[in-house]
Amino acid sequence: MEVLQDLSFINLITHASVLVQLVMGLLLLVSLMSWWYIFLKMFAIRAEKKLSEEFEELFWSQSDLGKLYQNGTVASGEAGCMARIFSAGFAEFAKQKRKPGADNIAVMESVRRAMRATYQREMDNLESHLSFLATVGSVSPYVGLFGTVWGIMNAFRGLSNVGQATLAHVAPGIAEALVATAMGLFAAIPAVVAYNRYAHDVTRLSSRFESFMEEFSNVLQRQS
Amino acid sequence: MSALAYSYSESYRLPAGALALGVHLMFFALLYFGVTWRTEPPQGMVVDIWQSLPEPQPAPVSIAPPPVEPPKPIEQLKPVEPPKADIELTEKNKPKIKPVEIRKPVEIKPVQPKQVEPVQVDQKALAQQAAQAEQARARAAQQAAAAAAITSEIGKYTGLIRAKIKRNIVMPADVQDSMQVEFDVTLLPGGSVLSARRTRSSGSTAYDEAVERAIMKAQPLPLPQDVSLFKYFRELHLTFTPKEE
């Protein structure tokens, strides 16, 4: 083992043992995916917030709900979750109204059920992949640690073959092994931060949808 | 409810993927260019500290014959200023240069009877005197050169001795630069130390002892090749101060 060691980053990775390299590869993949989801969710949630605000404004400024239902973006379902909840509720309301001798309370019940179903589906969509971020945040440090422990075990096993053990013999092996922990942390930290942030955002959106559903039910009840 | 309900995130897939890749590339670039861990063994280095620069070619020290009493020094000879040695030589060790006695110029007083003598004789005597004076001057110059060579040799080796001792001092904590410790060191031919006696303490026992240990550790001390010069080194009076010189 030469005394002069080139501990550049590339060397640390290429000299690591196969298992550590596998762990590092896995962590890289997981990190890439978690960042991808982080950006995906960031764009989606930001767009959803904007669309909901716009739709709420439109809803309260429009007196004729039928016209709103016919509106281009609302009808095509591109105006956000809130618009889709509204569409589902209004479509159900229109259907029930067409039936002769409809009970007012029964109509409102079925409208609520239709809206609730759409709401659940939309929430499921918004919350998708958040569990992946949570998993990455909690598991990847352990995966990294596993790689590090394995690497250090190898470093010490190599040390037993050397008569006189110095720090220079162990240090490169430990440095290689620690890269795995570093990568695990690099994957975990943004994932945890993003998960907390997005979970909070989604909760706020859901409470907003629920209050809209209540208000819309009231409006429909008045019209019936 | 429509199929479009789940497609809203489709349009973001590509930019999100590109951004994720960008983040990773940035991270690895940072690691690659920012972190270059290299271990380079420190180059060992030995430094000799010389008190005085040695002459490019040390002149062979020729011991001058014991000074002969110059017949009649006429001129005032410039006293040979021995180069300031860092070491104070004890009184009895003072090199023989000093003994080059420089007499006060003596006015040549024509002796009384000479006055009576004829002028030719007087001139002859004057010429003889002038020749003698010339001879004396030459001898004095030779002596001065030899003395200068000796003093430079002494200065060089005392500097070497001091440097070697100073190199061996393991500096204790909290010493002030103003401290000064004096030692009388008796040497044996060959450079080993017979005894080192502290004549004046610096006030810090730790520093005194560090210097004493250094004197013992520095054996053998460097001595000139010329054995005849050893007499100047038999007893040395050395002064040390923690100040870097």
Side-chain angles (χ1 to χ4, degrees):
Chain A
M1 192 175 262
E2 55 183 339
V3 181
L4 190 76
Q5 290 278 344
D6 183 16
L7 287 183
S8 76
F9 188 67
I10 299 296
N11 276 14
L12 282 183
I13 291 171
T14 52
H15 287 169
S17 66
V18 179
L19 191 101
V20 177
Q21 277 178 343
L22 274 177
V23 165
M24 287 196 278
L26 178 74
L27 284 173
L28 183 68
L29 198 75
V30 162
S31 172
L32 268 170
M33 277 183 75
S34 82
W35 273 98
W36 184 47
Y37 283 137
I38 285 169
F39 283 117
L40 209 60
K41 284 275 123 186
M42 189 182 84
F43 292 142
I45 288 176
R46 197 190 282 163
E48 193 48 58
K49 272 186 189 162
K50 195 163 150 270
L51 285 174
S52 297
E53 241 156 66
E54 279 171 6
F55 178 77
E56 230 168 354
E57 218 166 280
L58 194 68
F59 177 79
W60 292 113
S61 61
Q62 198 104 13
S63 52
D64 190 358
L65 290 176
K67 218 180 245 173
L68 186 62
Y69 182 64
Q70 307 281 305
N71 184 308
T73 50
V74 175
S76 65
E78 277 165 19
C81 302
M82 209 180 257
R84 284 193 285 273
I85 292 170
F86 163 79
S87 298
F90 194 78
E92 185 63 30
F93 179 70
K95 263 186 230 160
Q96 294 286 340
K97 269 288 159 193
R98 252 181 267 135
K99 269 205 278 180
D103 181 19
N104 216 354
I105 295 166
V107 168
M108 282 323 293
E109 272 302 310
S110 58
V111 165
R112 268 175 186 281
R113 271 198 300 274
M115 284 201 295
R116 178 62 59 178
T118 314
Y119 163 79
Q120 293 291 0
R121 216 168 281 136
E122 295 295 340
M123 285 317 296
D124 182 58
N125 195 15
L126 272 179
E127 277 173 351
S128 66
H129 308 313
L130 278 188
S131 65
F132 176 80
L133 287 182
T135 310
V136 167
S138 54
V139 167
S140 66
Y142 294 123
V143 177
L145 198 62
F146 170 67
T148 295
V149 168
W150 192 267
I152 290 179
M153 270 160 60
N154 270 356
F156 280 118
R157 227 179 45 205
L159 194 65
S160 64
N161 301 330
V162 188
Q164 200 182 14
T166 59
L167 199 59
H169 289 121
V170 216
I174 292 179
E176 278 161 24
L178 283 174
V179 172
T181 302
M183 290 181 73
L185 290 177
F186 174 70
I189 293 167
V192 171
V193 171
Y195 172 75
N196 286 332
R197 173 76 203 273
Y198 296 156
H200 175 69
D201 283 353
V202 168
T203 314
R204 280 183 65 191
L205 275 175
S206 81
S207 67
R208 204 160 159 182
F209 294 161
E210 272 176 32
S211 45
F212 170 75
M213 274 156 59
E214 299 301 319
E215 284 163 349
F216 182 47
S217 308
N218 279 345
V219 170
L220 283 181
Q221 197 140 26
R222 258 181 270 134
Q223 285 197 355
S224 63
Chain B
M1 272 208 84
S2 63
L4 278 166
Y6 302 104
S7 70
Y8 73 97
S9 58
E10 297 280 338
S11 54
Y12 302 125
R13 276 204 178 154
L14 225 65
L19 274 170
L21 265 177
V23 165
H24 282 78
L25 283 180
M26 229 170 70
F27 177 66
F28 284 112
L30 210 78
L31 274 181
Y32 185 67
F33 293 111
V35 189
T36 43
W37 297 304
R38 273 172 195 283
T39 51
E40 274 171 36
Q43 295 292 322
M45 190 186 273
V46 176
V47 180
D48 263 341
I49 298 167
W50 291 63
Q51 202 68 28
S52 60
L53 278 173
E55 257 92 5
Q57 198 162 38
V61 183
S62 58
I63 301 305
V68 189
E69 198 71 11
K72 253 180 203 172
I74 297 159
E75 271 181 73
Q76 185 170 5
L77 284 170
K78 280 241 172 216
V80 183
E81 197 76 52
K84 191 103 176 108
D86 217 73
I87 213 163
E88 285 172 47
L89 294 160
T90 39
E91 210 52 50
K92 49 182 160 177
N93 264 358
K94 279 217 169 122
K96 287 264 167 74
I97 324 133
K98 283 266 166 75
V100 180
E101 305 255 305
I102 290 104
R103 295 257 171 102
K104 287 260 158 70
V106 181
E107 268 187 52
I108 309 154
K109 277 191 190 147
V111 198
Q112 211 67 7
K114 273 183 186 169
Q115 240 172 357
V116 199
E117 273 179 74
V119 189
Q120 291 125 313
V121 181
D122 201 6
Q123 268 183 341
K124 210 181 191 177
L126 273 176
Q128 204 181 351
Q129 269 181 358
Q132 274 178 346
E134 195 67 36
Q135 232 176 351
R137 211 183 305 158
R139 212 173 294 161
Q142 203 184 355
Q143 273 170 24
I150 290 171
T151 36
S152 97
E153 196 78 350
I154 290 170
K156 175 186 154 193
Y157 277 96
T158 46
L160 281 176
I161 288 171
R162 277 178 61 81
K164 192 164 184 193
I165 292 172
K166 281 210 103 159
R167 254 203 326 264
N168 280 293
I169 292 177
V170 180
M171 204 57 86
D174 55 60
V175 288
Q176 273 109 47
D177 277 3
S178 57
M179 286 177 173
Q180 205 174 28
V181 61
E182 288 172 20
F183 274 90
D184 268 342
V185 180
T186 313
L187 291 185
L188 291 172
S192 47
V193 176
L194 185 66
S195 74
R197 199 166 48 81
R198 192 173 64 237
T199 52
R200 191 167 155 270
S201 170
S202 65
S204 158
T205 333
Y207 183 61
D208 291 354
E209 280 170 3
V211 173
E212 195 168 344
R213 273 197 299 275
I215 292 171
M216 290 306 170
K217 217 170 125 194
Q219 298 183 69
L221 293 168
L223 285 177
Q225 297 286 316
D226 196 332
V227 187
S228 62
L229 284 177
F230 177 68
K231 58 177 182 267
Y232 302 124
F233 292 96
R234 192 181 300 281
E235 274 178 17
L236 292 172
H237 184 72
L238 297 168
T239 307
F240 291 97
T241 157
K243 193 171 56 194
E244 286 298 323
E245 284 159 60

